[in-house]
Amino acid sequence: MRWREVLLLACSSGFSNAAPAEQKPLIANSLVTGGNDAETLSKDKKLHGRFLHITDIHPDPFYKVYSSTEEGNSCHWGQGPAGLLGAETTDCDSPITLVNATFKWIEENIKDSIDFVIWGGDSARHDNDELIPRTEEQVEGENVMLVDKFLEVFGKKHRVGDTNDFIIPIIPTIGNNDILPHNIMDPGPTKWTKKFLSIWRQFIPEEQRHGFERGGWFYVEVIPNRLAVFNLNTLYFYAKNAAVDGCADPSEIGYEEMDWLRIQLQFIRQRGMKAIIMGHVPPARSETKRSWDETCWQKYTLWMLQYRDVVVGSMYGHMNFEHFLLQDSDEIDEDAMNGESDPEVRTPLNDELTVQSADNYLIQLRNRWSRLPSAEGLGECAYSVAELDRKSTAQRKQPKKSKTKTFYDKIGGPWGERYSLTLVSASVVPNYFPTIRVFEYNITGLDNDQTLPVRESDPLSQSGLLIDESHPNLEIDGRSERMNKKHKFVAPLPPSKSSPPGPAYSPQTFSWLSYKQYYANLTNINNDILEPFDSVEVEKWHNGKHSGKKPYKYSDPAKHAKKFVFEVEYDTKTDKAFALKDLTVRSWVDLAGRIGRYRSRSRPCGDDGTDDVAEGLGDQDVDADDQDGDSSDKYLDNNLTPSRSNQKQKPNTKKHKKHKKHKKHKKHKKNKKHKKHRGHKERKDINKTWFAFVSRAFVSTRDEDELMDNFG
C-alpha cells in the first residue's frame, strides 16, 4: 500500500511484525510471592523511583527539510527554514528524524532509570495541509509507528518466537488528533476504539479490554497491589466534541466514564493502593475559557476532593505549553454539576491556541491566583510553606484569630486539601522546543517488608455522607452510595476521618518529589540559521521565528547538524525560580500565590530572604555558582533565555558590560525611573516568579523583550 511505503521510507528503522507483546509491571522486592516470572523480573528490574511523561509527538512522514513554514505549506511544500530535526516555534509537525532522535536519546540516557512511561496522546499529524488530507490509514499507521518506537526502546532484546514483552509498563491515551475527524468521538464500541484496542493490545490488561472497546478508558497497576495509573478518555469530557454532551445525563458516555472512575477509585482505596490520573485534554478552566464540559469539570473536581487520600496527582498534554492548574473545590456547584446552570459562562478553548490567546489564558490564570487566600491575617508570609512549617505545633493549634476564617480554614487545612493539582506538560512537537519530563517519586518502604497502611472506608461503617460534611455548596444526603434523585448521580465517599492526608498533600510513599524538564534546542542542533530570533507573530498559524529567513541549504544537513540532546531546562529539586520544596499541593498553592502577587510585600519572605518582586528584569540576579549544570536560572542571571544563549552567536559584549555596570550602580538607581521600553510605558515592578512561569510555559523560546511586552 502506498501509505505504508511512505511511512517505511520516512523511518530509519523498519517495523516489527511481531505479535502484540504483554507488558509486565515492575515488582518491588517485598511483593514477590513466588513464581519464576516474578522472581526473574524482580532481579532484573528494581524500582528507580522515576517515570517519564511524553506527549503530543505528532509525527509527520510528509515533512521536508528546507520547505516553507508558511500557512498552506506546512513544512511540506515550497522553500524555507524548516530544519532537519524540526521547525521550532512553528505549527509544523514533527519530522521522523525528530521522532527517531527523541527515542534514541531516551534509550541512551533514561531507559534504564525509569519505572514506567505515561504517553499522553496526539500521536498522529495534524490535518493542516489541504493537498494531503489525513486518512484513517495514515492516522492508524502513525500510531502503529510510535508503538514500534516504544518497542525498540523498551522491548526485551532477546525474545523467543514472536513475543517481545515490554520491560516496563507504558500507558497510552487517545488524543483529539488520533481520530478522524479530529475532536469528534462517538460512544463505543466504534471503529476507533476497536482500532486502538488492536494497536495497544499489549498495553491494556486483558480483563479491561472489553471496557476499553466501550469507552477507551483503562488502568494499569504499574506496581502490583500498590500503584495504578488511570487513563481517562478525555474526548468524552472535551467541550469541542460535538458527538457527546457532558457528564450530567446518565445516558451520556461522559457520565458512564465518571462512574467507572468513581467505582475503580473506591476499589483502589479499599485495597490500600494509590493512583495517578492521566489523559490528553486537561481540565483547563480560566475566567472566560474551558476545555471540558462544565458538568465534567464539576464531577472531576468533586471526585478529586473525595479521593484525595488515593490520588497522587494528575497529568495531561494537548495544549503544547507547560503550566499547572489548581481545581478549587469551593467552586463545586450542585446545579452546575447536574447541567442545570453554569454559574460562570465560559466558552470552549480552541484546540489550537494562537499566541495571543495563549498569553491571555496564562494572564487569566494569574488573575485567579491573585485571589488565593492569604496568610497575612496570621502574621505569616503569604503562602510560604517554609515559614508556615516553621511555626510550632502550639502556634498551629492556636492561630491568630480574626473575623474571617483562618488561613488553614481557607485552604482546607494545613495541607491545602481544598485544592487538587493538574500538571500540563509541553510537547515533543516543536511548537516551541521539543520537551519531555522525568518525575521522581517516593519509593520509601517498597524495597523492604514495610507495609503501606490500608485506609478504612467501608460504606457500612461510614456516616453515609455522599460528600464532605464541611463542603458549603452541596447538600448532604444521609444515605451511603446510592442514587440520589436530586444529585442524579452517586457521589463518592470522602476519606475516613481517621485517615492521614494523601500522597498529593503530605510527603509519603508515592508522593511526587521533583521533576526534570528537558528540552532540545533545535536552533542550536539544526545549526543552519545564524540570524537571531524575530518576535513571534500572533496569527492563528505560527510561521515561526525563522520565517522569511534563508537557511544554509546544505546538501547533507545531517553532516552539519550538531548532536541531538535533551538539555535540562530546570530541575525542581534545585531550581530557585519556582523554589518548590516538593510537588505536594501546598507547594503548588504557594507557587500560585507568588505568581499571582502584583505588589511587593512589606518584608522579605522565604528561605532566601529575597522578595519575589523586583524592579525590572535586570534585577533578577542569581550567582552562577548556584546553577548545578542546568539552565533553570540563566535568564535570571544574565537576562538570556536558554534559546538565546545557546544560539550560534557572538556574545554581546556591550550588553554584558552594561549589565555589569547596572549591577554595580544598582543602589544608586533605586529611586530613579527606568528608561522607556520600546517606546511603551515605563517598566513596572516585575514579579520574578511570574516571568519564570511564562518563560517556561513557552520552553524559553520567547526573549526578554517579548516577555516584557506581553506580560510586564
Side-chain angles (χ1 to χ4, degrees), residues 40 131-132 196 261 275 502 593 658:
T40 302
L131 298 178
I132 315 177
F196 280 106
L261 180 62
K658 183 178 179 180

Side-chain angles (χ1 to χ4, degrees), residues 163-236:
T163 62
N164 187 34
D165 295 347
F166 284 85
I167 59 175
I168 59 174
I170 298 168
I171 306 92
T173 194
I174 301 173
N176 63 304
N177 287 288
D178 292 328
I179 53 177
L180 202 66
H182 80 293
N183 296 342
I184 308 301
M185 188 170 189
D186 290 301
T190 66
K191 61 183 176 183
W192 287 108
T193 59
K194 292 176 181 178
K195 283 179 187 292
F196 280 106
L197 178 59
S198 175
I199 296 170
W200 295 341
R201 196 170 189 85
Q202 63 269 43
F203 302 136
I204 303 168
E206 183 176 0
E207 67 275 9
Q208 296 188 62
R209 289 171 185 167
H210 178 75
F212 180 88
E213 190 173 350
R214 165 62 176 159
W217 53 69
F218 68 99
Y219 72 90
V220 174
E221 292 189 26
V222 292
I223 304 178
N225 303 313
R226 297 299 180 95
L227 179 65
V229 175
F230 278 76
N231 159 53
L232 300 182
N233 183 358
T234 55
L235 297 187
Y236 292 143

Side-chain angles (χ1 to χ4, degrees), residues 52 103 106-107 110-112 114 117 149-157 164-168 170:
L52 168 66
F103 278 89
I106 290 172
E107 181 173 22
I110 62 175
K111 166 191 171 183
D112 296 323
I114 58 175
V117 178
K149 298 307 295 184
F150 278 107
L151 190 63
E152 289 176 16
V153 177
F154 297 105
K156 288 183 177 178
K157 301 304 178 185
N164 187 34
D165 295 347
F166 284 85
I167 59 175
I168 59 174
I170 298 168

Side-chain angles (χ1 to χ4, degrees), residues 103-137:
F103 278 89
K104 181 181 179 182
W105 189 91
I106 290 172
E107 181 173 22
E108 294 176 349
N109 293 275
I110 62 175
K111 166 191 171 183
D112 296 323
S113 62
I114 58 175
D115 301 331
F116 54 93
V117 178
I118 291 178
W119 174 14
D122 263 11
S123 303
R125 70 180 179 95
H126 290 93
D127 204 357
N128 55 17
D129 189 340
E130 294 180 354
L131 298 178
I132 315 177
R134 299 197 313 168
T135 66
E136 289 184 13
E137 185 183 12

Side-chain angles (χ1 to χ4, degrees), residues 445-463:
L446 296 181
D447 55 356
N448 52 42
D449 294 330
Q450 179 179 340
T451 303
L452 294 177
V454 177
R455 300 187 181 282
E456 299 177 0
S457 187
D458 184 353
L460 297 178
S461 64
Q462 293 284 332
S463 62

